[in-house]
Each structure stands twice: as C-alpha cells, then as structure tokens.
Amino acid sequence: SHGTGIGKVLMEHSRKMAMSAGYSLLYVLCTSYYSYRIAGNMGMQCVYILLYSEYKNEQGNPVFVPPAPQSEVTVFIEKL
C-alpha cells in the first residue's frame, strides 16, 4: 500500500548502488505520481515532463489514460 516507505528505501538503495559502482549520474523515469514525489523529495532534479494527455496515437487519442493522480511521465536526474 501507499505510504509505507518502501519506494523511498528502494530509491535510496539504488542511489547507494550507483555511487558504489562509480556512476556519476542517477537517472529515474517516473511513471506515477508516487515515484515523482519520492524523487523530488530526495532532491533529484526534474529534467523532462510528458503529460499522458499529450502522448497520442495516430488517431489523436491519448495512448495512456491512467487513474488519478497519475497525469505525467517525468525524468529526474542527480549528479552523484
């Protein structure tokens, strides 16, 4: 369920693994409101936003119509 802190623990573990492996940048693709909040709260920088309503097929219909509060895909980065 939401609010248990599992997402934050996983993100922090990913950060530690990336740092120990010598990576200089952490990249996170957030497809939900909840992962977006975790990345933002961890101090990561949002570098791209795509609203689900703007991602359309050839007929002009949205490809994804997720339930609220999901409304966008975001990309976050953090220099390590």
Side-chain angles (χ1 to χ4, degrees):
S1 69
H2 300 292
T4 60
I6 293 171
K8 182 179 178 185
V9 170
L10 291 172
M11 291 273 278
E12 288 172 345
H13 185 69
S14 296
R15 176 192 277 161
K16 288 177 186 174
M17 287 181 61
M19 290 175 74
S20 68
Y23 290 104
S24 60
L25 185 73
L26 181 61
Y27 160 93
V28 179
L29 176 65
C30 301
T31 58
S32 80
Y33 171 78
Y34 306 103
S35 57
Y36 166 88
R37 286 195 51 201
I38 293 168
N41 288 338
M42 291 181 64
M44 299 183 78
Q45 177 186 3
C46 182
V47 295
Y48 183 75
I49 297 172
L50 173 65
L51 297 175
Y52 283 119
S53 62
E54 293 179 0
Y55 186 63
K56 299 180 180 181
N57 61 19
E58 295 81 17
Q59 293 76 35
N61 300 317
V63 174
F64 301 106
V65 184
Q70 281 69 243
S71 62
E72 60 197 26
V73 173
T74 53
V75 175
F76 281 84
I77 61 168
E78 178 182 9
K79 292 180 183 178
L80 303 173

Coordinates of all heavy atoms in Angstrom, one line a residue:
S1 N 0.8 -1.2 0.0 CA 0.0 0.0 0.0 C 0.9 1.2 0.0 O 2.1 1.2 0.3 CB -0.9 0.0 1.2 OG -0.2 0.2 2.4
H2 N 0.3 2.3 -0.3 CA 1.0 3.6 -0.4 C 1.3 4.1 1.0 O 0.6 3.9 2.0 CB 0.2 4.6 -1.2 CG -0.1 4.2 -2.6 ND1 0.9 4.1 -3.5 CD2 -1.3 3.9 -3.2 CE1 0.3 3.7 -4.6 NE2 -1.0 3.5 -4.5
G3 N 2.4 4.8 1.1 CA 2.8 5.5 2.3 C 3.6 4.6 3.3 O 3.8 5.0 4.4
T4 N 4.1 3.4 2.8 CA 4.8 2.5 3.7 C 6.3 2.8 3.7 O 7.0 2.3 4.6 CB 4.6 1.1 3.4 OG1 5.0 0.9 2.0 CG2 3.1 0.7 3.5
G5 N 6.8 3.6 2.8 CA 8.2 4.0 2.7 C 9.1 3.0 1.9 O 10.3 3.2 1.8
I6 N 8.4 2.0 1.3 CA 9.2 1.0 0.5 C 9.9 1.7 -0.7 O 11.0 1.4 -1.0 CB 8.3 -0.2 0.1 CG1 7.9 -0.9 1.3 CG2 9.0 -1.1 -0.9 CD1 6.9 -2.0 1.1
G7 N 9.1 2.6 -1.4 CA 9.7 3.2 -2.6 C 10.9 4.1 -2.2 O 11.9 4.0 -3.0
K8 N 10.8 4.8 -1.1 CA 12.0 5.6 -0.7 C 13.2 4.7 -0.4 O 14.3 5.1 -0.8 CB 11.6 6.5 0.5 CG 12.7 7.4 0.9 CD 12.3 8.2 2.1 CE 13.5 9.1 2.5 NZ 13.2 9.9 3.7
V9 N 12.9 3.6 0.3 CA 14.0 2.7 0.6 C 14.7 2.2 -0.7 O 15.9 2.1 -0.8 CB 13.6 1.6 1.5 CG1 14.6 0.5 1.7 CG2 13.1 2.1 2.9
L10 N 13.9 1.8 -1.6 CA 14.4 1.3 -2.9 C 15.2 2.3 -3.6 O 16.2 2.0 -4.2 CB 13.3 0.7 -3.7 CG 12.6 -0.6 -3.2 CD1 11.4 -0.9 -4.1 CD2 13.6 -1.7 -3.3
M11 N 14.7 3.6 -3.7 CA 15.4 4.7 -4.4 C 16.7 4.9 -3.7 O 17.7 5.1 -4.3 CB 14.5 5.9 -4.4 CG 13.3 5.8 -5.3 SD 13.6 6.2 -7.0 CE 13.5 7.9 -6.9
E12 N 16.7 5.0 -2.4 CA 18.0 5.2 -1.6 C 19.0 4.1 -1.9 O 20.2 4.4 -2.0 CB 17.7 5.4 -0.1 CG 17.0 6.7 0.2 CD 16.5 6.8 1.6 OE1 16.5 5.8 2.3 OE2 16.2 7.9 2.1
H13 N 18.5 2.9 -1.9 CA 19.4 1.7 -2.2 C 19.9 1.8 -3.6 O 21.1 1.6 -3.8 CB 18.6 0.4 -2.0 CG 19.5 -0.8 -2.1 ND1 20.5 -1.1 -1.2 CD2 19.5 -1.7 -3.1 CE1 21.1 -2.2 -1.6 NE2 20.5 -2.6 -2.8
S14 N 19.1 2.2 -4.5 CA 19.6 2.4 -5.9 C 20.7 3.5 -6.0 O 21.7 3.3 -6.7 CB 18.4 2.8 -6.8 OG 17.5 1.7 -6.9
R15 N 20.5 4.6 -5.3 CA 21.5 5.6 -5.2 C 22.8 5.1 -4.7 O 23.9 5.4 -5.2 CB 21.0 6.8 -4.4 CG 22.0 7.9 -4.2 CD 21.5 8.9 -3.1 NE 20.6 9.8 -3.6 CZ 19.7 10.5 -2.8 NH1 19.7 10.4 -1.5 NH2 18.9 11.4 -3.4
K16 N 22.7 4.4 -3.6 CA 24.0 3.8 -3.0 C 24.7 2.9 -3.9 O 25.9 2.9 -4.0 CB 23.6 3.2 -1.6 CG 23.3 4.1 -0.5 CD 22.9 3.4 0.7 CE 22.4 4.4 1.8 NZ 21.9 3.7 3.0
M17 N 23.9 2.0 -4.6 CA 24.5 1.1 -5.5 C 25.2 1.8 -6.7 O 26.3 1.4 -7.1 CB 23.4 0.1 -6.1 CG 23.0 -0.9 -5.0 SD 21.7 -2.0 -5.7 CE 22.6 -2.8 -7.0
A18 N 24.5 2.8 -7.2 CA 25.1 3.6 -8.3 C 26.4 4.3 -7.9 O 27.4 4.3 -8.6 CB 24.1 4.6 -8.8
M19 N 26.4 4.8 -6.7 CA 27.6 5.5 -6.2 C 28.7 4.5 -6.0 O 29.9 4.8 -6.3 CB 27.3 6.2 -4.9 CG 26.4 7.5 -5.1 SD 25.9 8.3 -3.5 CE 27.4 9.0 -3.1
S20 N 28.4 3.3 -5.4 CA 29.5 2.3 -5.1 C 30.0 1.7 -6.4 O 31.1 1.3 -6.5 CB 29.0 1.3 -4.2 OG 28.0 0.5 -4.8
A21 N 29.2 1.8 -7.5 CA 29.6 1.3 -8.8 C 30.4 2.3 -9.6 O 30.9 2.0 -10.6 CB 28.4 0.8 -9.6
G22 N 30.5 3.5 -9.0 CA 31.3 4.6 -9.7 C 30.5 5.4 -10.7 O 31.1 6.2 -11.4
Y23 N 29.2 5.3 -10.7 CA 28.4 6.1 -11.7 C 28.4 7.5 -11.2 O 28.4 7.8 -10.0 CB 27.0 5.6 -11.8 CG 26.9 4.2 -12.5 CD1 26.7 3.1 -11.8 CD2 27.0 4.2 -13.9 CE1 26.6 1.8 -12.4 CE2 27.0 2.9 -14.5 CZ 26.7 1.8 -13.8 OH 26.7 0.6 -14.4
S24 N 28.4 8.5 -12.2 CA 28.4 9.9 -11.8 C 27.0 10.5 -12.0 O 26.8 11.7 -11.6 CB 29.3 10.6 -12.8 OG 29.0 10.5 -14.1
L25 N 26.0 9.7 -12.5 CA 24.7 10.3 -12.7 C 23.6 9.2 -12.4 O 23.8 8.1 -12.8 CB 24.5 10.8 -14.1 CG 23.2 11.5 -14.4 CD1 23.2 12.9 -13.8 CD2 23.0 11.6 -15.9
L26 N 22.6 9.6 -11.7 CA 21.5 8.7 -11.4 C 20.3 9.2 -12.2 O 20.0 10.4 -12.1 CB 21.1 8.6 -9.9 CG 20.0 7.7 -9.5 CD1 20.3 6.3 -9.8 CD2 19.7 7.9 -8.0
Y27 N 19.6 8.4 -13.0 CA 18.5 8.7 -13.8 C 17.3 7.9 -13.4 O 17.4 6.7 -13.2 CB 18.9 8.4 -15.3 CG 17.8 8.2 -16.3 CD1 17.4 9.3 -17.0 CD2 17.2 7.0 -16.5 CE1 16.4 9.2 -18.0 CE2 16.2 6.8 -17.4 CZ 15.8 7.9 -18.2 OH 14.8 7.8 -19.1
V28 N 16.2 8.6 -13.2 CA 14.9 7.9 -12.8 C 13.8 8.3 -13.7 O 13.5 9.5 -13.9 CB 14.6 8.2 -11.3 CG1 13.3 7.5 -10.9 CG2 15.7 7.9 -10.4
L29 N 13.1 7.3 -14.3 CA 11.9 7.6 -15.1 C 10.7 7.3 -14.2 O 10.5 6.1 -13.8 CB 11.9 6.6 -16.3 CG 10.7 6.7 -17.2 CD1 10.6 8.1 -17.9 CD2 10.8 5.6 -18.2
C30 N 10.0 8.3 -13.9 CA 8.8 8.2 -13.0 C 7.6 8.1 -13.8 O 7.2 9.1 -14.5 CB 8.8 9.3 -12.0 SG 10.2 9.5 -11.0
T31 N 6.8 7.0 -13.7 CA 5.6 6.9 -14.5 C 4.4 7.1 -13.6 O 3.2 6.9 -14.0 CB 5.5 5.6 -15.2 OG1 5.6 4.5 -14.2 CG2 6.6 5.4 -16.2
S32 N 4.6 7.4 -12.3 CA 3.5 7.6 -11.4 C 3.7 8.8 -10.5 O 4.8 9.3 -10.3 CB 3.2 6.4 -10.5 OG 4.2 6.3 -9.4
Y33 N 2.7 9.3 -10.0 CA 2.7 10.4 -9.1 C 3.5 10.1 -7.8 O 4.3 10.9 -7.3 CB 1.3 10.8 -8.6 CG 1.1 11.8 -7.5 CD1 1.3 13.1 -7.8 CD2 0.8 11.4 -6.2 CE1 1.2 14.1 -6.8 CE2 0.7 12.3 -5.2 CZ 0.9 13.6 -5.5 OH 0.8 14.6 -4.5
Y34 N 3.5 8.9 -7.4 CA 4.2 8.5 -6.2 C 5.7 8.4 -6.4 O 6.4 8.9 -5.5 CB 3.6 7.1 -5.6 CG 2.1 7.2 -5.5 CD1 1.2 6.6 -6.4 CD2 1.5 8.0 -4.5 CE1 -0.1 6.8 -6.3 CE2 0.2 8.1 -4.3 CZ -0.7 7.5 -5.2 OH -2.0 7.6 -5.1
S35 N 6.1 7.9 -7.5 CA 7.6 7.9 -7.7 C 8.1 9.3 -8.0 O 9.2 9.6 -7.6 CB 7.9 6.9 -8.9 OG 7.2 7.3 -10.0
Y36 N 7.3 10.1 -8.6 CA 7.6 11.5 -8.8 C 7.8 12.2 -7.5 O 8.8 12.9 -7.3 CB 6.4 12.2 -9.6 CG 6.5 13.7 -9.6 CD1 7.2 14.4 -10.6 CD2 5.8 14.4 -8.7 CE1 7.2 15.7 -10.6 CE2 5.8 15.8 -8.7 CZ 6.5 16.5 -9.7 OH 6.5 17.8 -9.7
R37 N 7.0 12.0 -6.5 CA 7.1 12.6 -5.2 C 8.4 12.1 -4.5 O 9.1 12.9 -3.9 CB 5.9 12.4 -4.4 CG 4.7 13.2 -4.9 CD 3.6 13.3 -3.9 NE 4.1 13.6 -2.5 CZ 3.4 13.4 -1.4 NH1 2.3 12.8 -1.4 NH2 3.9 13.8 -0.3
I38 N 8.6 10.9 -4.6 CA 9.8 10.3 -3.9 C 11.1 10.9 -4.5 O 12.0 11.4 -3.8 CB 9.9 8.8 -4.0 CG1 8.7 8.1 -3.2 CG2 11.2 8.2 -3.6 CD1 8.5 6.7 -3.5
A39 N 11.2 11.0 -5.8 CA 12.4 11.5 -6.5 C 12.5 13.0 -6.1 O 13.6 13.5 -5.8 CB 12.3 11.3 -8.0
G40 N 11.5 13.8 -6.1 CA 11.5 15.2 -5.8 C 11.9 15.4 -4.3 O 12.7 16.2 -4.0
N41 N 11.4 14.6 -3.5 CA 11.7 14.7 -2.0 C 13.1 14.3 -1.7 O 13.7 14.7 -0.7 CB 10.7 13.9 -1.2 CG 9.3 14.5 -1.1 OD1 9.1 15.7 -1.4 ND2 8.3 13.7 -0.8
M42 N 13.7 13.5 -2.6 CA 15.1 13.1 -2.4 C 16.1 14.1 -3.0 O 17.3 14.0 -2.9 CB 15.4 11.7 -3.1 CG 14.7 10.6 -2.3 SD 15.0 9.0 -3.1 CE 16.7 8.8 -2.8
G43 N 15.5 15.2 -3.5 CA 16.4 16.3 -4.0 C 16.8 16.1 -5.5 O 17.7 16.9 -5.9
M44 N 16.2 15.2 -6.2 CA 16.6 15.0 -7.6 C 16.0 16.1 -8.4 O 15.0 16.7 -8.0 CB 16.1 13.6 -8.1 CG 16.8 12.5 -7.3 SD 16.3 10.9 -7.9 CE 17.4 10.8 -9.3
Q45 N 16.6 16.4 -9.6 CA 16.2 17.4 -10.5 C 15.3 16.9 -11.6 O 15.7 16.0 -12.3 CB 17.4 18.1 -11.0 CG 17.1 19.2 -12.0 CD 18.3 19.8 -12.7 OE1 19.4 19.4 -12.5 NE2 18.1 20.8 -13.5
C46 N 14.1 17.5 -11.7 CA 13.2 17.1 -12.9 C 13.7 17.7 -14.1 O 13.9 19.0 -14.2 CB 11.8 17.5 -12.6 SG 10.6 17.0 -13.8
V47 N 14.0 16.9 -15.1 CA 14.6 17.5 -16.4 C 13.6 17.3 -17.6 O 13.9 17.8 -18.7 CB 16.0 16.9 -16.7 CG1 17.0 17.3 -15.7 CG2 15.9 15.4 -16.9
Y48 N 12.5 16.5 -17.4 CA 11.6 16.3 -18.5 C 10.2 15.9 -18.0 O 10.2 15.1 -17.0 CB 12.1 15.2 -19.4 CG 11.2 15.0 -20.7 CD1 11.2 15.9 -21.7 CD2 10.4 13.9 -20.7 CE1 10.4 15.7 -22.8 CE2 9.6 13.7 -21.8 CZ 9.6 14.6 -22.8 OH 8.7 14.5 -23.9
I49 N 9.2 16.5 -18.6 CA 7.8 16.1 -18.2 C 7.0 15.9 -19.5 O 7.1 16.7 -20.4 CB 7.1 17.2 -17.4 CG1 7.8 17.4 -16.1 CG2 5.6 16.9 -17.2 CD1 7.3 18.6 -15.3
L50 N 6.3 14.7 -19.6 CA 5.4 14.5 -20.7 C 4.0 14.1 -20.1 O 3.9 13.1 -19.4 CB 5.9 13.3 -21.5 CG 4.9 12.8 -22.6 CD1 4.7 13.9 -23.7 CD2 5.4 11.5 -23.2
L51 N 3.1 15.0 -20.3 CA 1.7 14.7 -19.9 C 1.1 13.5 -20.6 O 1.3 13.5 -21.8 CB 0.8 15.9 -20.1 CG 1.2 17.2 -19.3 CD1 0.3 18.4 -19.7 CD2 1.2 17.0 -17.8
Y52 N 0.5 12.6 -19.9 CA -0.1 11.5 -20.6 C -1.1 11.9 -21.6 O -1.3 11.4 -22.7 CB -0.8 10.6 -19.5 CG 0.1 9.7 -18.8 CD1 0.2 9.8 -17.4 CD2 0.9 8.7 -19.4 CE1 1.1 9.0 -16.7 CE2 1.8 7.9 -18.7 CZ 1.8 8.0 -17.3 OH 2.7 7.2 -16.6
S53 N -1.8 13.0 -21.3 CA -2.9 13.5 -22.2 C -2.3 14.0 -23.6 O -3.0 14.2 -24.6 CB -3.6 14.7 -21.6 OG -2.8 15.8 -21.2
E54 N -1.0 14.3 -23.6 CA -0.3 14.8 -24.8 C 0.3 13.7 -25.6 O 0.8 14.0 -26.7 CB 0.7 15.9 -24.4 CG 0.1 17.2 -23.9 CD 1.2 18.2 -23.5 OE1 2.4 18.0 -23.7 OE2 0.7 19.3 -23.0
Y55 N 0.4 12.5 -25.1 CA 1.0 11.4 -25.8 C -0.1 10.7 -26.5 O -0.9 9.9 -25.9 CB 1.8 10.5 -24.8 CG 2.5 9.4 -25.5 CD1 3.6 9.7 -26.4 CD2 2.2 8.1 -25.3 CE1 4.3 8.7 -27.0 CE2 2.9 7.0 -25.9 CZ 3.9 7.3 -26.8 OH 4.6 6.3 -27.4
K56 N -0.2 10.9 -27.8 CA -1.4 10.4 -28.6 C -1.0 9.5 -29.7 O 0.1 9.6 -30.3 CB -2.2 11.6 -29.1 CG -2.7 12.5 -28.0 CD -3.5 13.7 -28.5 CE -3.9 14.5 -27.3 NZ -4.7 15.7 -27.7
N57 N -2.0 8.6 -30.1 CA -1.7 7.7 -31.2 C -2.0 8.5 -32.5 O -2.3 9.7 -32.6 CB -2.6 6.5 -31.1 CG -4.1 6.7 -31.0 OD1 -4.6 7.8 -31.5 ND2 -4.8 5.8 -30.5
E58 N -2.0 7.7 -33.7 CA -2.2 8.3 -35.0 C -3.6 8.9 -35.1 O -3.8 9.8 -35.9 CB -2.0 7.3 -36.1 CG -0.6 6.8 -36.2 CD -0.3 5.7 -35.1 OE1 -1.2 5.1 -34.5 OE2 0.9 5.5 -34.9
Q59 N -4.6 8.5 -34.4 CA -5.9 9.0 -34.5 C -6.1 10.2 -33.5 O -7.2 10.8 -33.5 CB -7.0 7.9 -34.1 CG -7.1 6.8 -35.1 CD -5.9 5.8 -35.0 OE1 -5.4 5.5 -33.9 NE2 -5.5 5.3 -36.1
G60 N -5.1 10.6 -32.8 CA -5.2 11.7 -31.9 C -5.8 11.4 -30.5 O -6.1 12.3 -29.8
N61 N -5.9 10.1 -30.2 CA -6.4 9.7 -28.9 C -5.2 9.5 -27.9 O -4.2 8.9 -28.3 CB -7.2 8.5 -29.0 CG -8.4 8.7 -29.9 OD1 -9.1 9.7 -29.8 ND2 -8.7 7.7 -30.8
P62 N -5.4 9.8 -26.7 CA -4.3 9.5 -25.7 C -4.0 8.0 -25.7 O -4.9 7.2 -25.7 CB -4.9 10.0 -24.4 CG -5.9 11.0 -24.7 CD -6.5 10.5 -26.0
V63 N -2.7 7.7 -25.6 CA -2.3 6.3 -25.6 C -2.5 5.7 -24.2 O -3.0 4.6 -24.0 CB -0.8 6.1 -26.0 CG1 -0.3 4.7 -25.8 CG2 -0.6 6.6 -27.4
F64 N -2.3 6.5 -23.2 CA -2.4 6.1 -21.8 C -3.4 7.0 -21.1 O -3.3 8.2 -21.2 CB -1.1 6.1 -21.0 CG 0.0 5.2 -21.7 CD1 1.0 5.8 -22.4 CD2 -0.1 3.9 -21.5 CE1 2.0 5.0 -22.9 CE2 0.9 3.1 -22.1 CZ 1.9 3.6 -22.8
V65 N -4.3 6.4 -20.3 CA -5.3 7.2 -19.5 C -5.3 6.5 -18.1 O -6.1 5.8 -17.8 CB -6.7 7.1 -20.2 CG1 -7.6 8.0 -19.3 CG2 -6.6 7.6 -21.6
P66 N -4.2 6.9 -17.4 CA -4.1 6.3 -16.0 C -5.1 6.9 -15.0 O -5.6 8.0 -15.3 CB -2.7 6.6 -15.6 CG -2.4 7.9 -16.3 CD -3.1 7.8 -17.6
P67 N -5.4 6.2 -14.0 CA -6.2 6.8 -12.9 C -5.5 7.9 -12.2 O -4.3 8.0 -12.1 CB -6.5 5.6 -12.0 CG -5.3 4.7 -12.2 CD -4.9 4.9 -13.6
A68 N -6.3 8.9 -11.7 CA -5.8 10.0 -10.9 C -5.1 9.4 -9.6 O -5.5 8.3 -9.2 CB -6.9 10.9 -10.5
P69 N -4.1 10.0 -9.2 CA -3.5 11.3 -9.5 C -2.4 11.2 -10.6 O -1.7 12.2 -10.9 CB -2.9 11.8 -8.2 CG -2.4 10.5 -7.5 CD -3.4 9.4 -7.9
Q70 N -2.2 10.0 -11.2 CA -1.2 9.9 -12.3 C -1.6 10.8 -13.5 O -2.7 10.7 -14.0 CB -1.0 8.5 -12.8 CG -0.2 7.6 -11.9 CD -0.8 7.3 -10.5 OE1 -0.2 7.7 -9.5 NE2 -1.9 6.6 -10.5
S71 N -0.7 11.7 -13.9 CA -1.0 12.6 -15.0 C 0.2 12.8 -16.0 O 0.0 13.3 -17.1 CB -1.5 13.9 -14.5 OG -0.5 14.6 -13.8
E72 N 1.4 12.3 -15.6 CA 2.5 12.6 -16.4 C 3.7 11.6 -16.2 O 3.7 10.9 -15.2 CB 3.0 14.0 -16.1 CG 3.5 14.2 -14.7 CD 3.6 15.6 -14.2 OE1 2.9 16.5 -14.8 OE2 4.3 15.9 -13.3
V73 N 4.6 11.5 -17.1 CA 5.8 10.8 -17.0 C 6.9 11.9 -16.8 O 6.9 12.9 -17.5 CB 6.1 10.0 -18.3 CG1 7.5 9.4 -18.3 CG2 5.1 9.0 -18.6
T74 N 7.8 11.6 -15.8 CA 8.8 12.6 -15.5 C 10.2 11.9 -15.5 O 10.2 10.7 -15.2 CB 8.6 13.3 -14.2 OG1 8.4 12.3 -13.2 CG2 7.4 14.2 -14.2
V75 N 11.2 12.6 -15.8 CA 12.6 12.1 -15.8 C 13.3 13.0 -14.8 O 13.3 14.2 -14.9 CB 13.3 12.2 -17.2 CG1 14.7 11.8 -17.0 CG2 12.5 11.3 -18.2
F76 N 13.9 12.3 -13.8 CA 14.7 13.0 -12.8 C 16.1 12.6 -12.9 O 16.4 11.4 -13.3 CB 14.2 12.6 -11.4 CG 13.0 13.4 -10.9 CD1 11.7 12.9 -11.3 CD2 13.1 14.5 -10.1 CE1 10.6 13.6 -10.9 CE2 12.0 15.2 -9.7 CZ 10.7 14.7 -10.1
I77 N 17.1 13.5 -12.6 CA 18.5 13.1 -12.5 C 19.1 13.6 -11.2 O 18.6 14.6 -10.6 CB 19.3 13.7 -13.7 CG1 19.2 15.2 -13.8 CG2 18.8 13.0 -15.0 CD1 20.2 15.8 -14.8
E78 N 20.2 13.0 -10.9 CA 21.0 13.5 -9.8 C 22.5 13.2 -10.1 O 22.8 12.1 -10.4 CB 20.6 12.8 -8.5 CG 21.4 13.2 -7.3 CD 21.1 12.4 -6.0 OE1 20.3 11.5 -6.1 OE2 21.5 12.8 -5.0
K79 N 23.3 14.2 -10.0 CA 24.7 14.1 -10.1 C 25.2 13.4 -8.8 O 24.9 13.9 -7.7 CB 25.4 15.4 -10.3 CG 25.1 15.9 -11.7 CD 25.8 17.2 -12.0 CE 25.4 17.8 -13.3 NZ 26.0 19.1 -13.6
L80 N 26.0 12.4 -8.9 CA 26.5 11.7 -7.8 C 27.9 12.0 -7.5 O 28.6 12.6 -8.2 CB 26.4 10.2 -8.0 CG 25.0 9.6 -8.3 CD1 25.1 8.1 -8.6 CD2 24.1 9.8 -7.1

